[in-house]
Amino acid sequence: MSQKVTILGSTGSIGRQSLEVIAACGMEAAALAANSDVKRMEEQARQFRPKLAALMDEAAAADLRVRLADTDVRVVSGEAGVLEAAAFPGADTAIAAIVGMAGLRPTLTAIREGKRIGLANKETLVCAGPLVLEEARDYGARILPVDSEHSALFQCLEGCKDRREIKRLILTCSGGPFYGRSAEELSGVTKEDALRHPNWSMGAKITIDSATLMNKGLEVIEAMHLYRMPPEKISVLIHRESIIHSLVEYCDNAMIAQMGAPDMRLPIQYALTWPKRVSGGPSKPLDLWNCGTLSFGEPDLETFRCLALALESAKRGGTAGAILNGANEAAVGQFLAGKIGFLEIADRVERAISQVPVVQDPGLSDILEADRAAREAVR
Ligand code: NAD
Ligand code: MG
């Protein structure tokens, strides 16, 4: 019987690549959910014939219902519709690929149905890591990382029989489009400059996060929760080529690295097929013989202050992650809307962090409140 998959955020970068993997590996798309992209959702529904298609936006969903009237795809709308897709009983697996905090409730809903979760939505773990992982344990939902660094760490840890042997996790970081620039040189960069990532083609929000290096900071917090490691045992290594996706250093100083072409379809596929590996997927082999030199270096925490702010938040724990993330989502939104400059993203995040109090051992309501207050501080 083929694996049946729900894609939360199907019209986005990860969602579309997930559908490519599903098609190539002979899996089934059981339910699709997205925000408002009717055209793309119609195309996906016609190609994959899911049982259910959900759009968050009510008007877009109404339009989709008309467009799909000649099919047997059931169209649902609003948050209830997205949650219905997340809980869809006809799927055994859910790819969590909604961007931002908006992905938290749908991910929790899929977890409570005990599904395998291919987790791309890192903001969910940054805001509510302990809560999400506890629910996953309680409901028997296996979380498999889709983020390439975390998939790499997962693979490097598969041979580890005793966690005490882990010295540290090393997350590689491309450095983004502005690597090597000074703060002065960054003050005038535009949205178009920031959206031009050297190695990866991704959604707008994560592309900006990759330019500020906030993405790497969020990933440190994500790794901290996923692998239950204190922040001081997680390091960031600049590696411009994105060939080594991350490493684990063990107590005997051996380092295990995972390599591959920079192609998200590989970690997506492994999250879907684990513990097996299958051939025939859409990703291309890595030609190490012709890939040139690999380089390594230190991140510049003074210029890329978002990374420093995230590392601080990782140490503070509690709702600090939700405050950092909420402020960052709001500030990136303002930057994309042309309302603030690139360097002001870090200013806004710093202001929110200094204004919103941190609550330790938070429940869901504390997390939602921290997110709200952080967004308000940015505004
Ligand atoms: P994207 O902007 O391309 O896609 C986001 C998707 O979420 C879209 O389908 C959109 O319709 C949907 N969405 C947004 N708000 C929604 C809502 N309220 N309800 C339902 N659907 C909603 O983003 P992306 O680049 O695909 O990233 C998705 C997630 O994966 C992010 O958390 C990102 O950090 C993570 N991630 C992405 C990559 C990558 O290469 N793109 C790599 C690692 C991790
Ligand atoms: Mg990543």
Side-chain angles (χ1 to χ4, degrees), residues 187-205:
S187 61
V189 299
T190 63
K191 173 175 128 180
E192 287 68 33
D193 300 328
L195 285 172
R196 228 173 279 126
H197 195 279
N199 303 353
W200 301 95
S201 158
M202 311 176 284
K205 190 260 177 184

Side-chain angles (χ1 to χ4, degrees), residues 122 147-150 215-216 219:
K122 65 191 85 188
D147 211 347
S148 56
E149 296 77 3
H150 304 76
N215 183 51
K216 209 48 56 180
E219 290 185 352

